[in-house]
Structure formats: C-alpha cells, structure tokens
Amino acid sequence: MKKFGRYGGQFAPEVLMPALEELAGAYEQHKNDAKFVAELRHYLEDFGGRPTPLYHAKRLSKHLNKKVYLKREDLVHGGAHKLNNTIGQALLAKYMGKERIIAETGAGQHGTATAMAGAVLGLKTVVYMGTKDMERQKMNVFRMKLLGAEVIPVSSGSQTLKDAINEALRDWVANVGDTYYLIGSIVGPHPYPTIVRDFQTVIGQETREQILGKEGRLPDSIVACAGGGSNAMGIFYPFLNDDVDLFAVEAGGEGLKKTEKVAYHSASLCAGEEGVLHGARTKILQNEYGQILESHSIAPGLDYSGVGPELARLVDTGRVKARNISDEDALDAFHVLSRLEGIVPALESAHAIAYTQKDDVGDLVVINLSGRGDKDVETVAGLK
Ligand SMILES: *Cc1c(COP(=O)(O)O)cnc(C)c1O
C-alpha cells in the first residue's frame, strides 16, 4: 500500500523512483523468506537482547492509582527501540547486495543505532549530521566514530537535521547502485513507513503475548511517545483491531504556540496541517506559506516537524488519540520514574509516563518505555 488514506505516497525526485521500486520489491521478496526471518531473529535476540521484559511497575502503579506495565525497550542494545529498525534495514541492505549504508541523524541516536547495525553486519556506514547538532551531541559523534562509522558534517542551511537529510539524499542519488538509505522512523516516501513499522512491530507482538500471559486479558490503554512515530506504531500495530485505547503523546505545552518561523512545541499530530515533508504527505508544522517551522522539545527524539503518514491517518480516523505533554511535565515524570522504579527514562519516553496519569487512560496500562535516559542526564543536570 503506497498510501494511508490521503497521506503517504512518494514525493521523491525522479532519479530515485527506480531505487524506491527496487527497495519495495526486495522487501516483499525477503520479508517472509525463512532465511531472512531467522537471521533477523538471531540478531534481535542474541545481539539486541530481545525479547524485552514487560515489567509491572508496582511503585509507579501505586503512585498513579492504576496498574502500569512498562515495555522495556530501554533494555535493547544501544538503549532504545531504534536498533529493531536499523538491524532490520541493514540486514535487508545486505540481502539486496548493497555494501554501504547511509543515514542522517539529528541528536545522534539514529546515527548510533545505524552505526551499530552497520558494524555487526560488516557494512560501510556513513552518517550525515548538521554541524550545530554535532556540537550539541559530541558524545554521540564520538560513539558513532568508535563504531566505525564515518560522520560527515553538514554546514549548509540551519546546520541541523533538515540539512543533513538533504545531504544524505544527494549522496543516495549519486551512489544509488551500491548504497542503501536507512531511514530512522516511519517517515519518508513509500515503502519506508511500512518497512520501519514492520520492523518495530516486534514490540507490540511481544507485548500482546506478555500481557495475556500476565493478566489473561488485553490492556485498557497503551501509551507511547511520538516523534516520527515508530515506537508508537510498533507497539500499537498488533492492537489496531482490539478494544484497546491507543495514545500517541507528543511534545507540547505553551498552548501549542506557533509563530511565522517557530513552533514552540513539536506536536505535528495535535497541531500540524496537511503538507508534504521528506517524501510523504502527512501532518506537518508549517506556516501559511507552507514553510516548515522549526520545532522545540526538551526531548531530542521528539523534535521533528512531521510525523509518519500512517500514524497521521490513524489519528484522523480516531483510532489513535493524539495528546501532548509540556517539557515541564515530562521532566517531572523523568524524576518520578527514576525515584520510584530505579529506571531513568529517556526524556522522550517521559512524555508517555507523564500522560498516563490523565483520566482518559484506563486502569490497566502499558507504557512503551522507548529508551533509557543516560543520554539525557547532562541536559537535565544543566537545568537545575
Ligand atoms: C528516537 C526516539 C524516539 C522518537 O522516535 P519515534 O520514531 O517516534 O519512536 C522516542 N524515544 C526514544 C528513546 C528515541 O530514541
């Protein structure tokens, strides 16, 4: 399926259309192939640490007065769900005979997960990153280099993710024969949103089995944070046809204020409008001229001006409820989980934790703990 209702599609330069066709064909060919499936499983389990636990957080449950389970994606190798996707796509690249994977990264989390997958599968890895982001995320730049990736600084434009994406696309156009472009969330032109969603669906499949084992029933609600939307889509997908409330929580606050150039939040599902971004029609943060607004969030992984087209569609149909949480409330939740459960959550995941206390979230809840917060400790310490 190339489109999700009015969203999705392939808004890509003509020269890339054959590459997108090749990718779609290869994915169809390999996704159910026994050898590919077995090899992917091997890496997810023995390298990545899957399955991740579904943990009954007793002290948080008492605090929130509902029964709360945490899906522990923070325990995946690398500290977040991102590896589920990068291992899947890097393996696909290998099956397609590509020798080189390229990616772009903002905060460096996707770049690091790509570098890990590239290293373990023996693929040359190149990561594009804005120079401003490199300055802010020195640690991740160093980690990517340690893992054998080449990090290419992008000093054009705003020197951030936007410009890194442009450079990565330029590279892909020039080297499409031996190069695989590895996208980090359920965004981009078809078939990327579907491929990334499929690779992240392991989260929801495990959750379903685990909650049935522990509770003998499905949860009332599932809560996940949404930047591009991949951890949310991954846990939601196996529950779409069930009587389970699904909440996608974005970075919000400040009354979702927008000006000519800046959105003081990163809530594309809650406050975005239809437009085209990074190869797909979806909900985006834009001004009246259709220019993309710079977005803000304390959580680097949520700081994106668009959202995956499939998630945008599910919000329009009402199946998924879009909500938002301010930086302040996410920070509170960051501290609450750290103290009550001995788990320092990623600031992204803290948005989901913060929303769980709201009345519309049911009594038996699964929160997708998309990542661990070690990467955010410095940020939080700097605020005090
Ligand atoms: C990247 C990231 C996110 C946001 O990405 P999605 O595609 O929306 O899942 C959320 N949490 C963590 C820990 C991340 O690293």
PDB file of all heavy atoms in Angstrom, residues 4 8-9 85 89 104 161 165 181-197 227-230 277-280 282-283 304-311:
ATOM      1  N   PHE A   4      -1.720   5.861   2.906  1.00  0.00           N
ATOM      2  CA  PHE A   4      -2.562   5.619   4.064  1.00  0.00           C
ATOM      3  C   PHE A   4      -3.658   6.665   3.991  1.00  0.00           C
ATOM      4  O   PHE A   4      -3.488   7.784   4.496  1.00  0.00           O
ATOM      5  CB  PHE A   4      -1.751   5.745   5.350  1.00  0.00           C
ATOM      6  CG  PHE A   4      -0.519   4.869   5.363  1.00  0.00           C
ATOM      7  CD1 PHE A   4       0.726   5.387   5.044  1.00  0.00           C
ATOM      8  CD2 PHE A   4      -0.615   3.514   5.688  1.00  0.00           C
ATOM      9  CE1 PHE A   4       1.854   4.587   5.045  1.00  0.00           C
ATOM     10  CE2 PHE A   4       0.507   2.698   5.692  1.00  0.00           C
ATOM     11  CZ  PHE A   4       1.741   3.238   5.362  1.00  0.00           C
ATOM     12  N   GLY A   8       0.914   9.791   2.948  1.00  0.00           N
ATOM     13  CA  GLY A   8       1.934   8.878   2.426  1.00  0.00           C
ATOM     14  C   GLY A   8       2.322   9.243   1.015  1.00  0.00           C
ATOM     15  O   GLY A   8       2.441  10.412   0.663  1.00  0.00           O
ATOM     16  N   GLY A   9       2.532   8.238   0.179  1.00  0.00           N
ATOM     17  CA  GLY A   9       2.908   8.481  -1.206  1.00  0.00           C
ATOM     18  C   GLY A   9       4.419   8.512  -1.411  1.00  0.00           C
ATOM     19  O   GLY A   9       5.204   8.142  -0.524  1.00  0.00           O
ATOM     20  N   ASN A  85      14.832  -1.423  14.156  1.00  0.00           N
ATOM     21  CA  ASN A  85      14.706  -0.963  12.777  1.00  0.00           C
ATOM     22  C   ASN A  85      16.040  -0.973  12.038  1.00  0.00           C
ATOM     23  O   ASN A  85      16.113  -1.435  10.895  1.00  0.00           O
ATOM     24  CB  ASN A  85      14.101   0.450  12.783  1.00  0.00           C
ATOM     25  CG  ASN A  85      14.186   1.134  11.432  1.00  0.00           C
ATOM     26  OD1 ASN A  85      13.809   0.540  10.413  1.00  0.00           O
ATOM     27  ND2 ASN A  85      14.681   2.343  11.402  1.00  0.00           N
ATOM     28  N   GLN A  89      16.738  -3.092   8.638  1.00  0.00           N
ATOM     29  CA  GLN A  89      17.056  -2.490   7.343  1.00  0.00           C
ATOM     30  C   GLN A  89      18.488  -2.783   6.892  1.00  0.00           C
ATOM     31  O   GLN A  89      18.745  -2.978   5.703  1.00  0.00           O
ATOM     32  CB  GLN A  89      16.837  -0.972   7.384  1.00  0.00           C
ATOM     33  CG  GLN A  89      15.371  -0.580   7.373  1.00  0.00           C
ATOM     34  CD  GLN A  89      15.217   0.892   7.048  1.00  0.00           C
ATOM     35  OE1 GLN A  89      15.538   1.346   5.954  1.00  0.00           O
ATOM     36  NE2 GLN A  89      14.727   1.649   8.008  1.00  0.00           N
ATOM     37  N   GLU A 104      20.963   9.850   8.087  1.00  0.00           N
ATOM     38  CA  GLU A 104      21.136  11.183   8.637  1.00  0.00           C
ATOM     39  C   GLU A 104      20.688  11.113  10.084  1.00  0.00           C
ATOM     40  O   GLU A 104      19.907  10.241  10.460  1.00  0.00           O
ATOM     41  CB  GLU A 104      20.323  12.212   7.853  1.00  0.00           C
ATOM     42  CG  GLU A 104      18.890  12.361   8.279  1.00  0.00           C
ATOM     43  CD  GLU A 104      18.016  11.196   7.879  1.00  0.00           C
ATOM     44  OE1 GLU A 104      18.031  10.784   6.723  1.00  0.00           O
ATOM     45  OE2 GLU A 104      17.289  10.707   8.779  1.00  0.00           O
ATOM     46  N   LEU A 161      19.160  18.754  11.363  1.00  0.00           N
ATOM     47  CA  LEU A 161      18.631  17.550  10.720  1.00  0.00           C
ATOM     48  C   LEU A 161      18.144  17.763   9.285  1.00  0.00           C
ATOM     49  O   LEU A 161      18.434  16.990   8.383  1.00  0.00           O
ATOM     50  CB  LEU A 161      17.496  16.978  11.577  1.00  0.00           C
ATOM     51  CG  LEU A 161      16.830  15.713  11.056  1.00  0.00           C
ATOM     52  CD1 LEU A 161      17.820  14.557  11.001  1.00  0.00           C
ATOM     53  CD2 LEU A 161      15.641  15.316  11.916  1.00  0.00           C
ATOM     54  N   ILE A 165      19.448  15.713   6.072  1.00  0.00           N
ATOM     55  CA  ILE A 165      18.579  14.895   5.212  1.00  0.00           C
ATOM     56  C   ILE A 165      18.856  15.217   3.744  1.00  0.00           C
ATOM     57  O   ILE A 165      18.987  14.321   2.910  1.00  0.00           O
ATOM     58  CB  ILE A 165      17.092  15.108   5.549  1.00  0.00           C
ATOM     59  CG1 ILE A 165      16.772  14.510   6.922  1.00  0.00           C
ATOM     60  CG2 ILE A 165      16.183  14.489   4.480  1.00  0.00           C
ATOM     61  CD1 ILE A 165      15.367  14.765   7.414  1.00  0.00           C
ATOM     62  N   TYR A 181      19.824   3.646   1.703  1.00  0.00           N
ATOM     63  CA  TYR A 181      19.496   4.785   2.549  1.00  0.00           C
ATOM     64  C   TYR A 181      18.619   4.302   3.698  1.00  0.00           C
ATOM     65  O   TYR A 181      17.503   3.841   3.484  1.00  0.00           O
ATOM     66  CB  TYR A 181      18.781   5.846   1.705  1.00  0.00           C
ATOM     67  CG  TYR A 181      18.404   7.123   2.440  1.00  0.00           C
ATOM     68  CD1 TYR A 181      19.111   7.565   3.553  1.00  0.00           C
ATOM     69  CD2 TYR A 181      17.350   7.907   1.996  1.00  0.00           C
ATOM     70  CE1 TYR A 181      18.766   8.731   4.212  1.00  0.00           C
ATOM     71  CE2 TYR A 181      16.997   9.085   2.647  1.00  0.00           C
ATOM     72  CZ  TYR A 181      17.706   9.490   3.753  1.00  0.00           C
ATOM     73  OH  TYR A 181      17.374  10.645   4.399  1.00  0.00           O
ATOM     74  N   LEU A 182      19.149   4.385   4.910  1.00  0.00           N
ATOM     75  CA  LEU A 182      18.479   3.792   6.065  1.00  0.00           C
ATOM     76  C   LEU A 182      17.755   4.875   6.879  1.00  0.00           C
ATOM     77  O   LEU A 182      18.388   5.669   7.571  1.00  0.00           O
ATOM     78  CB  LEU A 182      19.520   3.061   6.918  1.00  0.00           C
ATOM     79  CG  LEU A 182      19.010   1.924   7.789  1.00  0.00           C
ATOM     80  CD1 LEU A 182      20.138   0.945   8.133  1.00  0.00           C
ATOM     81  CD2 LEU A 182      18.317   2.402   9.042  1.00  0.00           C
ATOM     82  N   ILE A 183      16.432   4.891   6.763  1.00  0.00           N
ATOM     83  CA  ILE A 183      15.619   5.914   7.429  1.00  0.00           C
ATOM     84  C   ILE A 183      15.236   5.459   8.844  1.00  0.00           C
ATOM     85  O   ILE A 183      15.004   4.282   9.075  1.00  0.00           O
ATOM     86  CB  ILE A 183      14.369   6.241   6.572  1.00  0.00           C
ATOM     87  CG1 ILE A 183      14.806   6.992   5.304  1.00  0.00           C
ATOM     88  CG2 ILE A 183      13.347   7.057   7.356  1.00  0.00           C
ATOM     89  CD1 ILE A 183      13.677   7.537   4.453  1.00  0.00           C
ATOM     90  N   GLY A 184      15.179   6.417   9.771  1.00  0.00           N
ATOM     91  CA  GLY A 184      15.085   6.099  11.188  1.00  0.00           C
ATOM     92  C   GLY A 184      13.714   6.069  11.819  1.00  0.00           C
ATOM     93  O   GLY A 184      13.579   5.706  12.984  1.00  0.00           O
ATOM     94  N   SER A 185      12.665   6.457  11.090  1.00  0.00           N
ATOM     95  CA  SER A 185      11.336   6.382  11.696  1.00  0.00           C
ATOM     96  C   SER A 185      10.332   6.048  10.587  1.00  0.00           C
ATOM     97  O   SER A 185      10.726   5.821   9.442  1.00  0.00           O
ATOM     98  CB  SER A 185      10.977   7.692  12.407  1.00  0.00           C
ATOM     99  OG  SER A 185       9.804   7.504  13.183  1.00  0.00           O
ATOM    100  N   ILE A 186       9.042   6.037  10.935  1.00  0.00           N
ATOM    101  CA  ILE A 186       8.018   5.626   9.950  1.00  0.00           C
ATOM    102  C   ILE A 186       7.682   6.773   9.008  1.00  0.00           C
ATOM    103  O   ILE A 186       6.521   7.064   8.736  1.00  0.00           O
ATOM    104  CB  ILE A 186       6.747   5.107  10.643  1.00  0.00           C
ATOM    105  CG1 ILE A 186       6.232   6.144  11.657  1.00  0.00           C
ATOM    106  CG2 ILE A 186       7.024   3.782  11.330  1.00  0.00           C
ATOM    107  CD1 ILE A 186       4.827   5.888  12.158  1.00  0.00           C
ATOM    108  N   VAL A 187       8.722   7.445   8.521  1.00  0.00           N
ATOM    109  CA  VAL A 187       8.562   8.615   7.656  1.00  0.00           C
ATOM    110  C   VAL A 187       9.222   8.360   6.301  1.00  0.00           C
ATOM    111  O   VAL A 187       9.702   7.269   6.037  1.00  0.00           O
ATOM    112  CB  VAL A 187       9.174   9.860   8.331  1.00  0.00           C
ATOM    113  CG1 VAL A 187       8.512  10.117   9.683  1.00  0.00           C
ATOM    114  CG2 VAL A 187      10.675   9.689   8.538  1.00  0.00           C
ATOM    115  N   GLY A 188       9.224   9.378   5.454  1.00  0.00           N
ATOM    116  CA  GLY A 188       9.844   9.241   4.137  1.00  0.00           C
ATOM    117  C   GLY A 188       8.855   8.678   3.124  1.00  0.00           C
ATOM    118  O   GLY A 188       7.698   8.385   3.443  1.00  0.00           O
ATOM    119  N   PRO A 189       9.306   8.550   1.857  1.00  0.00           N
ATOM    120  CA  PRO A 189       8.433   8.036   0.800  1.00  0.00           C
ATOM    121  C   PRO A 189       8.171   6.533   0.950  1.00  0.00           C
ATOM    122  O   PRO A 189       8.979   5.828   1.557  1.00  0.00           O
ATOM    123  CB  PRO A 189       9.239   8.321  -0.474  1.00  0.00           C
ATOM    124  CG  PRO A 189      10.680   8.315  -0.030  1.00  0.00           C
ATOM    125  CD  PRO A 189      10.672   8.870   1.373  1.00  0.00           C
ATOM    126  N   HIS A 190       7.059   6.056   0.392  1.00  0.00           N
ATOM    127  CA  HIS A 190       6.807   4.620   0.322  1.00  0.00           C
ATOM    128  C   HIS A 190       8.017   3.946  -0.316  1.00  0.00           C
ATOM    129  O   HIS A 190       8.560   4.494  -1.286  1.00  0.00           O
ATOM    130  CB  HIS A 190       5.545   4.378  -0.539  1.00  0.00           C
ATOM    131  CG  HIS A 190       5.351   2.942  -0.877  1.00  0.00           C
ATOM    132  ND1 HIS A 190       4.774   2.054   0.002  1.00  0.00           N
ATOM    133  CD2 HIS A 190       5.677   2.223  -1.985  1.00  0.00           C
ATOM    134  CE1 HIS A 190       4.746   0.850  -0.566  1.00  0.00           C
ATOM    135  NE2 HIS A 190       5.281   0.924  -1.781  1.00  0.00           N
ATOM    136  N   PRO A 191       8.504   2.802   0.146  1.00  0.00           N
ATOM    137  CA  PRO A 191       7.905   1.913   1.157  1.00  0.00           C
ATOM    138  C   PRO A 191       8.447   2.093   2.578  1.00  0.00           C
ATOM    139  O   PRO A 191       8.166   1.255   3.433  1.00  0.00           O
ATOM    140  CB  PRO A 191       8.302   0.531   0.630  1.00  0.00           C
ATOM    141  CG  PRO A 191       9.662   0.744   0.053  1.00  0.00           C
ATOM    142  CD  PRO A 191       9.641   2.135  -0.540  1.00  0.00           C
ATOM    143  N   TYR A 192       9.231   3.170   2.838  1.00  0.00           N
ATOM    144  CA  TYR A 192       9.855   3.279   4.161  1.00  0.00           C
ATOM    145  C   TYR A 192       8.874   3.226   5.348  1.00  0.00           C
ATOM    146  O   TYR A 192       9.137   2.513   6.315  1.00  0.00           O
ATOM    147  CB  TYR A 192      10.718   4.546   4.251  1.00  0.00           C
ATOM    148  CG  TYR A 192      12.046   4.406   3.533  1.00  0.00           C
ATOM    149  CD1 TYR A 192      12.269   5.021   2.314  1.00  0.00           C
ATOM    150  CD2 TYR A 192      13.071   3.641   4.078  1.00  0.00           C
ATOM    151  CE1 TYR A 192      13.482   4.891   1.657  1.00  0.00           C
ATOM    152  CE2 TYR A 192      14.294   3.502   3.422  1.00  0.00           C
ATOM    153  CZ  TYR A 192      14.491   4.131   2.217  1.00  0.00           C
ATOM    154  OH  TYR A 192      15.690   3.996   1.568  1.00  0.00           O
ATOM    155  N   PRO A 193       7.771   3.978   5.324  1.00  0.00           N
ATOM    156  CA  PRO A 193       6.901   3.944   6.510  1.00  0.00           C
ATOM    157  C   PRO A 193       6.411   2.529   6.853  1.00  0.00           C
ATOM    158  O   PRO A 193       6.287   2.174   8.029  1.00  0.00           O
ATOM    159  CB  PRO A 193       5.721   4.846   6.114  1.00  0.00           C
ATOM    160  CG  PRO A 193       6.303   5.786   5.098  1.00  0.00           C
ATOM    161  CD  PRO A 193       7.289   4.948   4.323  1.00  0.00           C
ATOM    162  N   THR A 194       6.179   1.733   5.820  1.00  0.00           N
ATOM    163  CA  THR A 194       5.707   0.362   6.045  1.00  0.00           C
ATOM    164  C   THR A 194       6.846  -0.534   6.547  1.00  0.00           C
ATOM    165  O   THR A 194       6.656  -1.339   7.459  1.00  0.00           O
ATOM    166  CB  THR A 194       5.133  -0.215   4.733  1.00  0.00           C
ATOM    167  OG1 THR A 194       4.084   0.656   4.300  1.00  0.00           O
ATOM    168  CG2 THR A 194       4.594  -1.610   4.935  1.00  0.00           C
ATOM    169  N   ILE A 195       8.011  -0.387   5.945  1.00  0.00           N
ATOM    170  CA  ILE A 195       9.162  -1.221   6.338  1.00  0.00           C
ATOM    171  C   ILE A 195       9.535  -0.960   7.802  1.00  0.00           C
ATOM    172  O   ILE A 195       9.702  -1.887   8.597  1.00  0.00           O
ATOM    173  CB  ILE A 195      10.379  -0.931   5.422  1.00  0.00           C
ATOM    174  CG1 ILE A 195      10.097  -1.431   4.001  1.00  0.00           C
ATOM    175  CG2 ILE A 195      11.648  -1.569   5.978  1.00  0.00           C
ATOM    176  CD1 ILE A 195      11.224  -1.134   2.999  1.00  0.00           C
ATOM    177  N   VAL A 196       9.643   0.313   8.164  1.00  0.00           N
ATOM    178  CA  VAL A 196      10.055   0.658   9.532  1.00  0.00           C
ATOM    179  C   VAL A 196       8.988   0.201  10.529  1.00  0.00           C
ATOM    180  O   VAL A 196       9.300  -0.341  11.594  1.00  0.00           O
ATOM    181  CB  VAL A 196      10.340   2.169   9.666  1.00  0.00           C
ATOM    182  CG1 VAL A 196      10.743   2.518  11.096  1.00  0.00           C
ATOM    183  CG2 VAL A 196      11.449   2.589   8.695  1.00  0.00           C
ATOM    184  N   ARG A 197       7.740   0.393  10.177  1.00  0.00           N
ATOM    185  CA  ARG A 197       6.655  -0.075  11.054  1.00  0.00           C
ATOM    186  C   ARG A 197       6.753  -1.593  11.253  1.00  0.00           C
ATOM    187  O   ARG A 197       6.681  -2.083  12.381  1.00  0.00           O
ATOM    188  CB  ARG A 197       5.301   0.304  10.449  1.00  0.00           C
ATOM    189  CG  ARG A 197       4.103  -0.200  11.209  1.00  0.00           C
ATOM    190  CD  ARG A 197       3.427  -1.344  10.458  1.00  0.00           C
ATOM    191  NE  ARG A 197       2.551  -0.847   9.419  1.00  0.00           N
ATOM    192  CZ  ARG A 197       2.206  -1.555   8.344  1.00  0.00           C
ATOM    193  NH1 ARG A 197       2.680  -2.779   8.143  1.00  0.00           N
ATOM    194  NH2 ARG A 197       1.411  -1.055   7.445  1.00  0.00           N
ATOM    195  N   GLY A 227       7.539  10.930  18.057  1.00  0.00           N
ATOM    196  CA  GLY A 227       8.331  11.919  17.327  1.00  0.00           C
ATOM    197  C   GLY A 227       7.972  11.710  15.868  1.00  0.00           C
ATOM    198  O   GLY A 227       7.013  12.271  15.351  1.00  0.00           O
ATOM    199  N   GLY A 228       8.723  10.840  15.196  1.00  0.00           N
ATOM    200  CA  GLY A 228       8.300  10.377  13.874  1.00  0.00           C
ATOM    201  C   GLY A 228       7.177   9.369  14.000  1.00  0.00           C
ATOM    202  O   GLY A 228       6.325   9.249  13.117  1.00  0.00           O
ATOM    203  N   GLY A 229       7.165   8.662  15.115  1.00  0.00           N
ATOM    204  CA  GLY A 229       6.063   7.746  15.405  1.00  0.00           C
ATOM    205  C   GLY A 229       6.392   6.258  15.354  1.00  0.00           C
ATOM    206  O   GLY A 229       5.488   5.428  15.432  1.00  0.00           O
ATOM    207  N   SER A 230       7.691   5.892  15.283  1.00  0.00           N
ATOM    208  CA  SER A 230       7.978   4.469  15.067  1.00  0.00           C
ATOM    209  C   SER A 230       7.787   3.598  16.303  1.00  0.00           C
ATOM    210  O   SER A 230       7.311   2.466  16.188  1.00  0.00           O
ATOM    211  CB  SER A 230       9.386   4.282  14.495  1.00  0.00           C
ATOM    212  OG  SER A 230      10.381   4.586  15.442  1.00  0.00           O
ATOM    213  N   LEU A 277       6.342  16.533   3.494  1.00  0.00           N
ATOM    214  CA  LEU A 277       7.650  16.645   4.133  1.00  0.00           C
ATOM    215  C   LEU A 277       8.417  15.344   3.941  1.00  0.00           C
ATOM    216  O   LEU A 277       7.876  14.256   4.149  1.00  0.00           O
ATOM    217  CB  LEU A 277       7.484  16.939   5.636  1.00  0.00           C
ATOM    218  CG  LEU A 277       8.788  17.129   6.429  1.00  0.00           C
ATOM    219  CD1 LEU A 277       9.546  18.368   5.989  1.00  0.00           C
ATOM    220  CD2 LEU A 277       8.492  17.207   7.926  1.00  0.00           C
ATOM    221  N   HIS A 278       9.683  15.459   3.533  1.00  0.00           N
ATOM    222  CA  HIS A 278      10.561  14.291   3.396  1.00  0.00           C
ATOM    223  C   HIS A 278       9.924  13.156   2.618  1.00  0.00           C
ATOM    224  O   HIS A 278       9.966  11.997   3.031  1.00  0.00           O
ATOM    225  CB  HIS A 278      11.032  13.813   4.785  1.00  0.00           C
ATOM    226  CG  HIS A 278      11.766  14.889   5.525  1.00  0.00           C
ATOM    227  ND1 HIS A 278      11.773  15.004   6.884  1.00  0.00           N
ATOM    228  CD2 HIS A 278      12.503  15.926   5.063  1.00  0.00           C
ATOM    229  CE1 HIS A 278      12.488  16.066   7.234  1.00  0.00           C
ATOM    230  NE2 HIS A 278      12.932  16.640   6.150  1.00  0.00           N
ATOM    231  N   GLY A 279       9.295  13.489   1.522  1.00  0.00           N
ATOM    232  CA  GLY A 279       8.841  12.446   0.601  1.00  0.00           C
ATOM    233  C   GLY A 279       7.448  11.909   0.813  1.00  0.00           C
ATOM    234  O   GLY A 279       7.000  11.035   0.071  1.00  0.00           O
ATOM    235  N   ALA A 280       6.745  12.421   1.827  1.00  0.00           N
ATOM    236  CA  ALA A 280       5.390  11.906   2.067  1.00  0.00           C
ATOM    237  C   ALA A 280       4.426  13.043   2.418  1.00  0.00           C
ATOM    238  O   ALA A 280       4.831  14.074   2.976  1.00  0.00           O
ATOM    239  CB  ALA A 280       5.415  10.895   3.210  1.00  0.00           C
ATOM    240  N   THR A 282       1.722  14.296   4.863  1.00  0.00           N
ATOM    241  CA  THR A 282       1.413  13.950   6.246  1.00  0.00           C
ATOM    242  C   THR A 282       1.016  15.217   6.999  1.00  0.00           C
ATOM    243  O   THR A 282       0.723  16.246   6.383  1.00  0.00           O
ATOM    244  CB  THR A 282       2.619  13.246   6.910  1.00  0.00           C
ATOM    245  OG1 THR A 282       2.262  12.827   8.220  1.00  0.00           O
ATOM    246  CG2 THR A 282       3.851  14.146   6.969  1.00  0.00           C
ATOM    247  N   LYS A 283       0.952  15.127   8.311  1.00  0.00           N
ATOM    248  CA  LYS A 283       0.686  16.313   9.122  1.00  0.00           C
ATOM    249  C   LYS A 283       2.024  16.935   9.495  1.00  0.00           C
ATOM    250  O   LYS A 283       2.896  16.254  10.034  1.00  0.00           O
ATOM    251  CB  LYS A 283      -0.044  15.914  10.407  1.00  0.00           C
ATOM    252  CG  LYS A 283      -1.502  15.546  10.219  1.00  0.00           C
ATOM    253  CD  LYS A 283      -2.100  15.181  11.561  1.00  0.00           C
ATOM    254  CE  LYS A 283      -3.485  14.586  11.432  1.00  0.00           C
ATOM    255  NZ  LYS A 283      -4.509  15.576  11.063  1.00  0.00           N
ATOM    256  N   TYR A 304      10.807  16.987  15.858  1.00  0.00           N
ATOM    257  CA  TYR A 304      10.703  16.775  14.417  1.00  0.00           C
ATOM    258  C   TYR A 304       9.416  17.446  13.941  1.00  0.00           C
ATOM    259  O   TYR A 304       8.388  17.371  14.613  1.00  0.00           O
ATOM    260  CB  TYR A 304      10.691  15.260  14.130  1.00  0.00           C
ATOM    261  CG  TYR A 304      10.533  14.879  12.686  1.00  0.00           C
ATOM    262  CD1 TYR A 304      11.486  15.276  11.740  1.00  0.00           C
ATOM    263  CD2 TYR A 304       9.452  14.119  12.261  1.00  0.00           C
ATOM    264  CE1 TYR A 304      11.340  14.921  10.411  1.00  0.00           C
ATOM    265  CE2 TYR A 304       9.308  13.761  10.931  1.00  0.00           C
ATOM    266  CZ  TYR A 304      10.251  14.160  10.005  1.00  0.00           C
ATOM    267  OH  TYR A 304      10.116  13.815   8.692  1.00  0.00           O
ATOM    268  N   SER A 305       9.456  18.104  12.776  1.00  0.00           N
ATOM    269  CA  SER A 305       8.322  18.910  12.323  1.00  0.00           C
ATOM    270  C   SER A 305       7.242  18.121  11.592  1.00  0.00           C
ATOM    271  O   SER A 305       6.250  18.689  11.161  1.00  0.00           O
ATOM    272  CB  SER A 305       8.821  20.027  11.402  1.00  0.00           C
ATOM    273  OG  SER A 305       9.840  20.749  12.043  1.00  0.00           O
ATOM    274  N   GLY A 306       7.454  16.818  11.438  1.00  0.00           N
ATOM    275  CA  GLY A 306       6.443  15.989  10.793  1.00  0.00           C
ATOM    276  C   GLY A 306       6.145  14.767  11.631  1.00  0.00           C
ATOM    277  O   GLY A 306       6.560  14.675  12.783  1.00  0.00           O
ATOM    278  N   VAL A 307       5.425  13.823  11.030  1.00  0.00           N
ATOM    279  CA  VAL A 307       5.086  12.581  11.725  1.00  0.00           C
ATOM    280  C   VAL A 307       4.753  11.544  10.652  1.00  0.00           C
ATOM    281  O   VAL A 307       4.398  11.918   9.523  1.00  0.00           O
ATOM    282  CB  VAL A 307       3.897  12.814  12.687  1.00  0.00           C
ATOM    283  CG1 VAL A 307       2.627  13.149  11.938  1.00  0.00           C
ATOM    284  CG2 VAL A 307       3.670  11.624  13.618  1.00  0.00           C
ATOM    285  N   GLY A 308       4.899  10.287  10.964  1.00  0.00           N
ATOM    286  CA  GLY A 308       4.644   9.238   9.980  1.00  0.00           C
ATOM    287  C   GLY A 308       3.225   9.301   9.418  1.00  0.00           C
ATOM    288  O   GLY A 308       2.278   9.577  10.149  1.00  0.00           O
ATOM    289  N   PRO A 309       3.076   9.091   8.100  1.00  0.00           N
ATOM    290  CA  PRO A 309       1.767   9.201   7.456  1.00  0.00           C
ATOM    291  C   PRO A 309       0.728   8.197   7.980  1.00  0.00           C
ATOM    292  O   PRO A 309      -0.460   8.530   8.064  1.00  0.00           O
ATOM    293  CB  PRO A 309       2.072   8.939   5.971  1.00  0.00           C
ATOM    294  CG  PRO A 309       3.400   8.249   5.943  1.00  0.00           C
ATOM    295  CD  PRO A 309       4.147   8.754   7.139  1.00  0.00           C
ATOM    296  N   GLU A 310       1.168   7.016   8.356  1.00  0.00           N
ATOM    297  CA  GLU A 310       0.201   6.023   8.843  1.00  0.00           C
ATOM    298  C   GLU A 310      -0.372   6.450  10.188  1.00  0.00           C
ATOM    299  O   GLU A 310      -1.569   6.301  10.446  1.00  0.00           O
ATOM    300  CB  GLU A 310       0.875   4.644   8.962  1.00  0.00           C
ATOM    301  CG  GLU A 310      -0.124   3.553   9.331  1.00  0.00           C
ATOM    302  CD  GLU A 310       0.450   2.151   9.230  1.00  0.00           C
ATOM    303  OE1 GLU A 310       1.680   1.987   9.328  1.00  0.00           O
ATOM    304  OE2 GLU A 310      -0.355   1.213   9.035  1.00  0.00           O
ATOM    305  N   LEU A 311       0.481   7.021  11.032  1.00  0.00           N
ATOM    306  CA  LEU A 311       0.011   7.487  12.335  1.00  0.00           C
ATOM    307  C   LEU A 311      -0.920   8.690  12.157  1.00  0.00           C
ATOM    308  O   LEU A 311      -1.936   8.807  12.845  1.00  0.00           O
ATOM    309  CB  LEU A 311       1.216   7.838  13.222  1.00  0.00           C
ATOM    310  CG  LEU A 311       0.951   7.961  14.722  1.00  0.00           C
ATOM    311  CD1 LEU A 311       0.272   6.723  15.284  1.00  0.00           C
ATOM    312  CD2 LEU A 311       2.256   8.230  15.474  1.00  0.00           C
TER     313      LEU A 311
END
